[in-house]
Amino acid sequence: MTNHWVDIKNADVVVVMGGNAAEAHPVGFRWAIEAKKQNGAKLMVVDPRFNRTAAVADFYSPIRSGTDITFLSGVIKYLLDNDKIQHEYVKHYTNASFLIHEGFGFEDGLFTGYDAEKRQYDKSTWSYQLDENGQPKRDLTLQDPRCVINLLKKHVERYTPEMVERICGTKQADFLEFAETVASTATPERTTTFLYALGWTQHTVGAQNIRTMAMIQLLLGNIGMSGGGVNALRGHSNVQGTTDMGLFPSMLPGYISLPTENDTTLEAFLNRITPKTLVENQVNYWQNTPKFMVSMLKTFYGENATKDNEWGYHFLPKQFPKKLDHLQYVDLMDQGKVNGYICQGYNPLASYPDKNKISSALRKLKFLIVCDPLVTDTSEFWQKHGEYNDVNPADIQTEVFRLPTVCFAEEEGSIANSGRWLQWHWKAAEAPKEAKPDVDILSEIRAEMIELYHKEGGVSLDTLEAMNWNYANPLEPKADEVAKEVNGYALDDVKDANGNVIVKKGDLISSFAQLRDDGTTSAGCWIYTGQWTPKGNQMENRDNSDPSGLGNTLGWAFAWPLNRRIIYNRASADLSGKPWNPKRQLVKWNGKNWNYVDVADFGTAPPNSDVTPFIMNNEGVSRLFALDKMVEGPFPEHYEPIETPIGTNPLHPNVVSNPVTRILESDKASFGTSEEFPYVASTYRLTEHFHWWTKQSDLNMIAQPEPFIEISEELAAKKGIAKGDVVKITSKRGYIRAKAVVTKRIKSLDVNGKRVHTVGIPLHGGFTTVGRKSFLVNTLTSRVGDANTQTPEYKTFLVNIEKTTEAL
Ligand SMILES: Nc1nc2c(c(=O)[nH]1)N[C@H]1C(S)=C(S)[C@@H](COP(=O)(O)OP(=O)(O)OC[C@H]3O[C@@H](n4cnc5c(=O)[nH]c(N)nc54)[C@H](O)[C@@H]3O)O[C@H]1N2
Ligand SMILES: Nc1nc2c(c(=O)[nH]1)N[C@H]1C(S)=C(S)[C@@H](COP(=O)(O)OP(=O)(O)OC[C@H]3O[C@@H](n4cnc5c(=O)[nH]c(N)nc54)[C@H](O)[C@@H]3O)O[C@H]1N2
Ligand SMILES: [Mo]
């Protein structure tokens, strides 16, 4: 989230789109209800299903899954056509006025530079025009046809209300009511917040869905504003923490890229990833990357990281020159190229697409280690469970080890929530029997491996031994030791530009502004610096006073970065530092100094200097034109899902789906067509369960005992299915059987002259359960990834449905 949970209450319009907050985030959703109660906010839901959020909304409209870019681009067109944009904000705080390379264009579904053979773009024209001093050219009158705003106008011309209806199946009147309501917040007095989750991310155009919404927020002047923002409602309670800490295949902690094998020296690597300031005087905060990187290497390798060995850079594992993502990893496993797999807090047989392929891949391993508090479908993948796991154990040689871990309530530590708050929690119960904290298990594996290497030899022992493992008990690192290590220490006296000591050797660091690239500081994850300062554990703070009434409660927990609650909050005030709306004041220039309600997101430079609020971008403004940051184009474009029910793209029949979508060679034959599989399937959550774990808990199984699928009355009539009938649902990858719920909550839609029916499938079934065994939903889904993030397309794929006579 750019903002945070409590801040939702400040919005005038709350859009829940691409998520079902009432169901999947029932506690945080109270702030959407507060917005209604306190501000009379309008709650708007656009979703393929009339879901539990829709049930309490002021507006609901259906949409065909996978078509939000069309809908949202229609909104952008509406805002531009009806002059519903916040002009000063757009002019000064976005790249609307920047001139784009003369060579850039868009034609018949493709941006300039497409290479059909490689399925990728040469992005060299997705760039600014530069003047003789290397500065981007701008036209603040916004007249030049090469201005971003004019190119955007042209790009969205095709997204008329008629086209929205034709592609999305949403009625024009509904669409226009939505656009008008959102447009009512183009004034500084009013804001819209967008709450989204997987209904937007789990598509081959997932990242562009979110960008399209972010562009709307920029046009409305809603980013950096209290009650505005781009707000991802995240998943597992600490998934924000896992991404912050670099649990991506291509990231290090603090959103720093993992080097590839081509980055042969630290200097070359840092030169590649550190952005040069593009517009003079801008903050360009990422120019500090070397300080964050060297401090991280000092945390990783301690005294083994020296200037002479490039701060231990060569100990760091590198990714392949081409990103090795999870789709490829399963592929490698399936080709027998992976010996062993440590699977920790993850149940891929249940959660990963194309269950049959995962099952086949796990079979090729020599060993599988599952670290989990529970028995999981993955740890039992080798057992036969009727049609739900139809394998022959005698054929499977993989040796499986189960290492029981504790659960969060059985240990202390911090959890990062969607609003970037790091909150400390304390141990509430002893773990049962042999269960151990994950960190102890990993520590023991480390110690054992080093011993074995010494006994038996092997490659890369040096990298293992170089790791800094400085804990009172190396087999049981404590949460406070790790939290301080992540925060960072002064390894020598840290001095300011005048040579004054600002942090004494041995002290904890208080701010990432104190980090250095000369080996005098450490910090495991720069954005977490400040979580544990010489004043103590900031994550333990529990003062909920709220002087502004906006809910920013700076004394409650610690929010990264630097306890800032609303990112880009400098954009909440105009160029002269005057808040756009005094009731939403976050920062204000009083003529001499800045007054802060939130932690400032900029230097102390006085207003009207050239410095603009988007300090993480090297031109200082936000981007309506994404430059080369997205793989499929600088503007969003509608592409059909890989498995499209209409078999064409009404905008450009020659380019149907995202042309740079992630598809591996070995999966090419695994996609179905609408001739064979005519219905759209989508998978989702129920409040009563949490993924695949609560089927192990009696109370949850009592609340929601039996998985089911949902279809519209129209489809039920067409296929002769009555409620409670057992149906078989088949995709190109496999089939499941379950009972059918026939409901008014899912409507069949008219799309491009065709009737499109949706099959809804809750995802919580499986065969390791205290209740009734049932299907694993990912038997049906496909291995295709979002072009930028590789997130699988779980929300839209094609199936057939038939009634079966055989009982379950
Ligand atoms: N009780 C409970 N809560 C949970 C979880 C759980 O398992 N149980 N899981 C947690 C996790 S890890 C996550 S990531 C979050 C997920 O939170 P959500 O994303 O809110 O959860 P989903 O149920 O996947 O809901 C997605 C919604 O998107 C809609 N949708 C599908 N396709 C589209 C589309 O193309 N456009 C639009 N506009 N909408 C679409 C679906 O109909 C559904 O209503 O929930 C978290 N909270
Ligand atoms: N079809 C379809 N598939 C989906 C989705 C979808 O919407 N549709 N959603 C996707 C999403 S958003 C997500 S997040 C994934 C979730 O996929 P998974 O993360 O694989 O699913 P979970 O069941 O949450 O598994 C987490 C495991 O962690 C264990 N665990 C809990 N606490 C601890 C701990 O402290 N230590 C360890 N070691 N283990 C612990 C739990 O017991 C559980 O077995 O599923 C994805 N798959
Ligand atoms: Mo998730």
Side-chain angles (χ1 to χ4, degrees):
M1 285 178 157
T2 54
N3 295 28
H4 58 92
W5 285 103
V6 184
D7 180 67
I8 297 168
K9 79 181 169 85
N10 299 315
D12 300 286
V13 176
V14 179
V15 179
V16 183
M17 190 167 171
N20 181 7
E23 184 106 40
H25 300 89
V27 179
F29 186 66
R30 69 172 278 208
W31 298 108
I33 299 292
E34 286 298 316
K36 276 173 68 128
K37 281 201 217 149
Q38 294 184 22
N39 298 341
K42 262 202 157 178
L43 176 59
M44 320 275 290
V45 172
V46 181
D47 196 288
R49 304 178 302 125
F50 185 87
N51 58 24
R52 277 175 165 161
T53 313
V56 292
D58 301 292
F59 169 95
Y60 165 74
S61 179
I63 183 172
R64 172 167 65 104
S65 181
T67 64
D68 296 64
I69 288 177
T70 299
F71 190 100
L72 297 169
S73 298
V75 174
I76 293 181
K77 177 174 163 57
Y78 180 96
L79 299 177
L80 294 170
D81 286 354
N82 295 285
D83 196 21
K84 293 286 186 187
I85 66 173
Q86 202 191 308
H87 289 277
E88 289 302 293
Y89 188 106
V90 169
K91 190 156 98 179
H92 297 295
Y93 295 170
T94 77
N95 64 4
S97 65
F98 285 60
L99 307 194
I100 298 303
H101 195 293
E102 289 291 353
F104 168 77
F106 173 81
E107 211 183 322
D108 199 19
L110 294 172
F111 295 91
T112 309
Y114 188 61
D115 180 334
E117 211 157 282
K118 292 195 190 141
R119 299 189 75 249
Q120 69 186 35
Y121 280 102
D122 166 357
K123 301 175 180 172
S124 49
T125 64
W126 307 4
S127 55
Y128 297 135
Q129 293 182 27
L130 302 180
D131 67 16
E132 53 289 353
N133 301 321
Q135 295 288 291
K137 288 192 194 167
R138 296 179 75 168
D139 173 16
L140 282 165
T141 69
L142 305 181
Q143 296 306 310
D144 193 302
R146 297 307 293 176
C147 272
V148 164
I149 194 87
N150 295 324
L151 294 178
L152 176 62
K153 266 185 201 152
K154 189 157 161 254
H155 188 75
V156 297
E157 237 165 35
R158 297 159 298 142
Y159 294 95
T160 59
E162 294 76 22
M163 190 55 85
V164 170
E165 179 163 331
R166 186 166 157 202
I167 292 178
C168 308
T170 309
K171 293 279 169 247
Q172 285 184 50
D174 280 355
F175 164 74
L176 287 169
E177 185 182 340
F178 179 93
E180 207 178 303
T181 310
V182 166
S184 76
T185 66
T187 65
E189 290 77 47
R190 287 169 58 80
T191 56
T192 295
T193 184
F194 277 87
L195 312 181
Y196 72 93
L198 306 178
W200 273 352
T201 58
Q202 292 177 339
H203 292 283
T204 40
V205 292
Q208 286 284 16
N209 276 331
I210 295 150
R211 249 199 76 71
T212 323
M213 172 269 287
M215 289 163 69
I216 292 176
Q217 288 295 64
L218 290 174
L219 292 171
L220 296 170
N222 278 338
I223 292 192
M225 292 293 286
S226 172
V230 169
N231 294 312
L233 310 188
R234 306 218 49 182
H236 289 95
S237 67
N238 199 22
V239 70
Q240 179 69 48
T242 65
T243 53
D244 296 345
M245 291 299 292
L247 265 88
F248 283 121
S250 56
M251 286 277 170
L252 287 164
Y255 302 95
I256 294 178
S257 309
L258 188 64
T260 74
E261 284 175 358
N262 293 341
D263 299 309
T264 48
T265 64
L266 176 63
E267 195 187 345
F269 170 62
L270 288 173
N271 274 339
R272 180 171 72 80
I273 66 163
T274 308
K276 312 255 174 319
T277 305
L278 189 59
V279 172
E280 255 173 29
N281 302 328
Q282 294 301 332
V283 175
N284 181 23
Y285 208 82
W286 280 113
Q287 69 178 291
N288 294 301
T289 304
K291 299 174 188 164
F292 309 148
M293 181 73 191
V294 172
S295 298
M296 181 158 57
L297 288 168
K298 285 300 289 180
T299 301
F300 287 177
Y301 303 115
E303 288 180 354
N304 298 320
T306 62
K307 192 166 192 303
D308 289 342
N309 72 3
E310 300 170 64
W311 309 111
Y313 175 73
H314 298 286
F315 298 132
L316 196 66
K318 312 291 185 297
Q319 56 178 336
F320 290 69
K322 276 200 110 178
K323 192 151 96 177
L324 185 62
D325 63 38
H326 43 81
L327 290 170
Q328 276 170 301
Y329 217 89
V330 171
D331 228 35
L332 288 177
M333 235 183 240
D334 199 33
Q335 293 162 20
K337 293 184 181 154
V338 180
N339 288 328
Y341 172 29
I342 302 182
C343 177
Q344 192 180 14
Y346 183 30
N347 187 359
L349 191 76
S351 61
Y352 209 62
D354 198 348
K355 181 217 162 196
N356 291 328
K357 178 140 179 180
I358 291 280
S359 179
S360 154
L362 294 175
R363 244 172 271 180
K364 312 274 168 44
L365 295 169
K366 293 197 177 112
F367 67 91
L368 167 68
I369 302 175
V370 178
C371 310
D372 204 290
L374 300 170
V375 178
T376 67
D377 306 287
T378 302
S379 69
E380 314 307 288
F381 84 95
W382 49 275
Q383 294 176 352
K384 181 165 172 68
H385 292 268
E387 67 181 313
Y388 304 121
N389 202 46
D390 197 7
V391 298
N392 180 4
D395 293 344
I396 301 175
Q397 303 304 318
T398 310
E399 190 172 1
V400 180
F401 301 87
R402 284 186 45 222
L403 304 181
T405 71
V406 304
C407 225
F408 72 94
E410 294 156 354
E411 61 183 344
E412 66 170 358
S414 70
I415 284 179
N417 76 6
S418 308
R420 299 167 283 104
W421 293 8
L422 304 171
Q423 300 184 87
W424 198 256
H425 67 89
W426 293 267
K427 182 170 172 171
E430 286 305 323
K433 299 186 182 163
E434 297 169 297
K436 288 190 179 185
D438 291 86
V439 68
D440 296 12
I441 294 176
L442 293 176
S443 302
E444 281 184 48
I445 291 178
R446 170 189 167 272
E448 195 73 23
M449 274 173 63
I450 290 179
E451 211 179 298
L452 271 175
Y453 265 119
H454 276 292
K455 261 196 227 143
E456 299 176 7
V459 289
S460 297
L461 172 61
D462 56 333
T463 63
L464 201 57
E465 284 194 313
M467 261 195 281
N468 197 22
W469 211 264
N470 201 4
Y471 309 106
N473 178 351
L475 295 181
E476 290 177 14
K478 294 287 169 251
D480 60 334
E481 290 176 302
V482 178
K484 288 180 197 164
E485 183 182 28
V486 168
N487 176 84
Y489 288 98
L491 305 174
D492 205 334
D493 285 351
V494 179
K495 297 182 184 149
D496 65 13
N498 303 324
N500 302 318
V501 175
I502 50 170
V503 196
K504 279 216 307 287
K505 180 175 175 175
D507 280 357
L508 285 153
I509 302 275
S510 306
S511 155
F512 48 67
Q514 297 165 339
L515 296 178
R516 298 289 182 263
D517 60 7
D518 59 3
T520 56
T521 58
S522 69
C525 177
W526 71 277
I527 55 176
Y528 279 15
T529 301
Q531 67 177 4
W532 202 309
T533 68
K535 290 188 189 136
N537 180 355
Q538 301 302 302
M539 299 169 282
E540 255 180 32
N541 292 347
R542 290 296 181 270
D543 173 1
N544 66 355
S545 38
D546 178 21
S548 72
L550 292 172
N552 287 332
T553 57
L554 298 183
W556 185 281
F558 170 77
W560 74 259
L562 296 182
N563 206 26
R564 184 172 297 143
R565 305 295 157 138
I566 296 183
I567 303 189
Y568 299 121
N569 56 34
R570 171 66 182 86
S572 68
D574 67 12
L575 278 181
S576 71
K578 184 166 153 252
W580 300 110
N581 176 352
K583 290 201 199 110
R584 297 182 198 273
Q585 181 183 319
L586 297 174
V587 296
K588 181 184 172 184
W589 178 254
N590 66 14
K592 271 198 193 138
N593 302 306
W594 285 98
N595 291 345
Y596 305 121
V597 174
D598 191 5
V599 177
D601 199 352
F602 51 100
T604 45
N608 287 327
S609 61
D610 304 330
V611 184
T612 42
F614 288 84
I615 62 172
M616 303 312 282
N617 286 349
N618 60 348
E619 71 278 52
V621 294
S622 56
R623 296 176 185 145
L624 292 168
F625 184 92
L627 301 174
D628 60 356
K629 301 297 173 205
M630 308 290 288
V631 296
E632 66 278 88
F635 288 136
E637 177 61 11
H638 169 70
Y639 296 111
E640 285 287 315
I642 285 298
E643 292 191 333
T644 160
I646 57 172
T648 184
N649 187 324
L651 291 164
H652 28 73
N654 293 331
V655 184
V656 176
S657 299
N658 188 339
V660 295
T661 291
R662 186 91 174 128
I663 300 176
L664 301 184
E665 204 51 48
S666 62
D667 295 318
K668 278 197 172 143
S670 71
F671 303 103
T673 63
S674 59
E675 284 80 42
E676 217 183 332
F677 303 99
Y679 309 118
V680 175
S682 196
T683 57
Y684 45 86
R685 289 155 176 75
L686 304 173
T687 300
E688 294 78 4
H689 280 290
F690 200 91
H691 297 162
W692 296 275
W693 14 338
T694 52
K695 58 185 166 54
Q696 308 269 32
S697 147
D698 290 330
L699 282 177
N700 300 77
M701 287 309 279
I702 290 166
Q704 187 60 267
E706 188 176 1
F708 54 87
I709 65 95
E710 300 185 88
I711 51 174
S712 67
E713 292 176 338
E714 191 180 321
L715 180 58
K718 187 174 150 101
K719 302 296 289 185
I721 297 166
K723 77 170 179 215
D725 280 352
V726 177
V727 293
K728 180 175 181 182
I729 299 178
T730 314
S731 77
K732 183 83 174 176
R733 278 82 44 194
Y735 78 91
I736 62 167
R737 292 194 317 131
K739 281 190 190 155
V741 167
V742 178
T743 174
K744 290 189 187 344
R745 288 176 283 112
I746 296 183
K747 293 276 185 248
S748 302
L749 299 171
D750 287 317
V751 178
N752 201 36
K754 202 175 163 185
R755 202 69 183 149
V756 171
H757 306 281
T758 296
V759 178
I761 316 178
L763 55 73
H764 306 290
F767 57 85
T768 44
T769 172
V770 294
R772 183 179 185 144
K773 290 177 193 177
S774 62
F775 64 87
L776 283 169
V777 68
N778 285 315
T779 310
L780 297 174
T781 53
S782 74
R783 284 170 43 85
V784 60
D786 170 285
N788 293 280
T789 65
Q790 290 80 47
T791 298
E793 196 153 57
Y794 292 121
K795 288 287 182 266
T796 314
F797 52 94
L798 292 178
V799 296
N800 201 354
I801 180 167
E802 297 294 343
K803 190 167 153 171
T804 67
T805 45
E806 220 178 303
L808 284 174

